Amino acid sequence: MRDVARQVMADEETTSADLVPAMCGFVYLMVPEIQELIRRAPLGDVPAQVAQVAVDGACRRVTTPPGIGPAAVRRHARKVAMAVLALCDHYESLSSAADGANTP
């Protein structure tokens, strides 16, 4: 997931439009997993609240149309890629916190 998102972020010349559906698929795969980790977090847990904001933003990114023209498509692809990278970070953060809470 990260490799595809990094590829889109590094791509300055092409539109990467063919990778947007894959990244949207990544978002749709990660969102339920992260939401479950958020539900398991203690009430008022700041990392969980920040992750929820990232989930909301990622969902918004994948449902927003890219606009007209190659520059708009490239910007949209980069925004979705940033959302994927953020979700990966939040998943790792919340997973390690959940694992740490379960260890005696």
Side-chain angles (χ1 to χ4, degrees), residues 31-49:
V31 163
E33 297 291 328
I34 295 171
Q35 286 177 327
E36 180 59 30
L37 291 169
I38 292 168
R39 277 191 284 280
R40 288 190 211 158
L43 187 63
D45 185 56
V46 174
Q49 292 172 346

Side-chain angles (χ1 to χ4, degrees), residues 56-97:
D56 295 343
C59 291
R60 194 171 44 256
R61 294 277 184 229
V62 298
T63 58
T64 301
I68 299 170
V73 172
R74 192 167 35 255
R75 277 192 308 272
H76 177 67
R78 293 185 78 160
K79 288 178 182 179
V80 175
M82 285 189 284
V84 168
L85 292 171
L87 290 179
C88 288
D89 291 342
H90 289 296
Y91 178 79
E92 289 177 359
S93 173
L94 292 174
S95 293
S96 64

